[in-house]
C-alpha cells in the first residue's frame, strides 16, 4: 500500500462528524494528507447518504473510531493531481466509493476486484489506512485518494445523481452482471424498495428483464409501477399472492436489511434459480430443502471492484439511468438519518456539499 502521512494544510478540510454513539453530526475541521504522486484531490460537490453512515456514526458494530466523518458515495471535481496521475486532470468529474486503498498485489486487486483484496480493502471512512490514520468520508469539503480508487463520471451525467451509484448502484449491479441477470426476457424479483432496491429495478428494466417488487409497504405500489416501471408489485405478507408466483423467477435480489424469512422467497425460484443477498439482516435461515430441491443457489455480494464500478457508471450514462434522489443541505443530515431509519426516503438522500458546507 502507498504510504503518505504528511498533512496538507492545518485543518483546512471542513466536515460534519459524529463524536459519540449518539451519532449526532456537527461541524468538524481536520487535515487531509498532502497530495502524493499517485493521488487525486477532489472538491466534493455531493455525497449520498447510505445505511453504512448510520452503522458507524452510531457504533452499531462496536468498532466506531470517533470522530466519525461518514459518507462513501462521493462525487466531485478534481482540483489537483499528483505527478504520476494520467487518468485524471484538473476539472474532471470524479467519484469515490466505499474503499480508498488495498494491497494492489493480490490476485483480486490484480483482477480489478479490489473490494475482495486478500489483506482487506480500506474503507472510505472509519478504517485504518496504510499510514495508520483513520479514514474520513464524504461529508466533507474535499478528499485525497489514490487515482486507482477514483472513477470517471461522464460530463453529461449530473454529479448529484452519480453519488448514489458509488454504493447503492454498484451493490446491485455487481451481482446482476456476475450472475448473468442481464439476459432479456428473464424474470427478476427485487425484495425491498429502498436505495438499493430501486436501483435493482432500474437495472433490471435496462437489461430487459420482467421485474417484480416485493415490499412490506403497500404505500410504495403506485410509484413502483408508474415511476420505476416495475412490471408487478407484490405485498410480501400476502400469502395468496406469494403462492401464485411459485417457481416463476430466474433471479431474486434481496436488498432487505430487516429480518425476514427466506423459505417463502426460495420457493419462488425456478429450478437452478439464484437468490443474491446484498442486505445485512441479523441472520439468514432457511430449510436445506429450499436450496437442494430444485438445484437452487443462494449467494452474497458487496459493492464491486474498480473495473465493474467504472463499467456501471458508463452503463448508467449510456442508458440514462438516474437514481431517484432527494437533495438536501448538510445542515439537514441528522434529520435525514432519522428519516432513513424510518424508511422515509424515495429513494436516496444526497447532500449538496458544494452549496451548503461552509
Amino acid at each position: 500500500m502507498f504510504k503518505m502521512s504528511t498533512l496538507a494544510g492545518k485543518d483546512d478540510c471542513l466536515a460534519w462528524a459524529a463524536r459519540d454513539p449518539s451519532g449526532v453530526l456537527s461541524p468538524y475541521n481536520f487535515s487531509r494528507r498532502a497530495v502524493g504522486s499517485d493521488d487525486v484531490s477532489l472538491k466534493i460537490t455531493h455525497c449520498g447518504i447510505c445505511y453504512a453512515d448510520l452503522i458507524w456514526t452510531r457504533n452499531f458494530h462496536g468498532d466506531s473510531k470517533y470522530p466519525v466523518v461518514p459518507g462513501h458515495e462521493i462525487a466531485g471535481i478534481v482540483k489537483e493531481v499528483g505527478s504520476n496521475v494520467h487518468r485524471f486532470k484538473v476539472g474532471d468529474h470524479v467519484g469515490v466509493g466505499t474503499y480508498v486503498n488495498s494491497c494492489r498485489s493480490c490476485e483480486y486487486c490484480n483482477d480489478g476486484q479490489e473490494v475482495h483484496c486478500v489483506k482487506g480493502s480500506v474503507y472510505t471512512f472509519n478504517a485504518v489506512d496504510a499510514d495508520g490514520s483513520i479514514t474520513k468520508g464524504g461529508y466533507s469539503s474535499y478528499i485525497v485518494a489514490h487515482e486507482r480508487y477514483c472513477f470517471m463520471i461522464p460530463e453529461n451525467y449530473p454529479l448529484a445523481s452519480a453519488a448514489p451509484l458509488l454504493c447503492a448502484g454498484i451493490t446491485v449491479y455487481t451481482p446482476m452482471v456476475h450472475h448473468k441477470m442481464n439476459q432479456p426476457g428473464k424474470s427478476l424479483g427485487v425484495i425491498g424498495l429502498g436505495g438499493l432496491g430501486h436501483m435493482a429495478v432500474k437495472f433490471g428494466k435496462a437489461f430487459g428483464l420482467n421485474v417484480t417488487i416485493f415490499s412490506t409497504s403497500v404505500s410504495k405500489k403506485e410509484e413502483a409501477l408508474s415511476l420505476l416501471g416495475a412490471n408487478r408489485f407484490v405485498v410480501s405478507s400476502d400469502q395468496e399472492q406469494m403462492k401464485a408466483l411459485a417457481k416463476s423467477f430466474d433471479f431474486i435480489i434481496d436488498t432487505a436489511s430487516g429480518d425476514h424469512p427466506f423459505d417463502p422467497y426460495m420457493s419462488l425460484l425456478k429450478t437452478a434459480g439464484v437468490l443474491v443477498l446484498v442486505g445485512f439482516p441479523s441472520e439468514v435461515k432457511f430449510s436445506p430443502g429450499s436450496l437442494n430441491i430444485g438445484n437452487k443457489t443462494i449467494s452474497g455480494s458487496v459493492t464491486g471492484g474498480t473495473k465493474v464500478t467504472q463499467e456501471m457508471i458508463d452503463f448508467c450514462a449510456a442508458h440514462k439511468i438516474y437514481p431517484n434522489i432527494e437533495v438536501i443541505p448538510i445542515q439537514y443530515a441528522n434529520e435525514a438519518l432519522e428519516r432513513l431509519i424510518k424508511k422515509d426516503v424515495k429513494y436516496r438522500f444526497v447532500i449538496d456539499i458544494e452549496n451548503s458546507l461552509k
Side-chain angles (χ1 to χ4, degrees), residues 23-89:
V24 175
L25 298 162
S26 58
Y28 171 67
N29 290 16
F30 69 98
S31 298
R32 292 279 187 197
R33 70 168 185 247
V35 177
S37 53
D38 298 303
D39 286 341
V40 171
S41 180
L42 189 68
K43 176 188 142 192
I44 299 172
T45 60
H46 297 86
C47 185
I49 293 186
C50 176
Y51 195 76
D53 302 346
L54 271 173
I55 290 173
W56 282 292
T57 53
R58 301 195 181 196
N59 201 25
F60 290 169
H61 290 175
D63 62 353
S64 295
K65 303 166 185 67
Y66 295 101
V68 172
V69 177
H72 62 198
E73 296 184 335
I74 300 167
I77 300 167
V78 177
K79 61 175 192 177
E80 190 185 340
V81 296
S83 53
N84 285 346
V85 173
H86 302 299
R87 286 174 53 222
F88 303 102
K89 61 183 189 307

Side-chain angles (χ1 to χ4, degrees), residues 207-230:
F207 289 144
L209 304 178
N210 188 296
V211 181
T212 299
I213 295 169
F214 296 96
S215 177
T216 49
S217 321
V218 189
S219 59
K220 288 180 176 172
K221 179 172 183 175
E222 247 348 273
E223 207 160 273
L225 298 171
S226 59
L227 194 65
L228 299 178

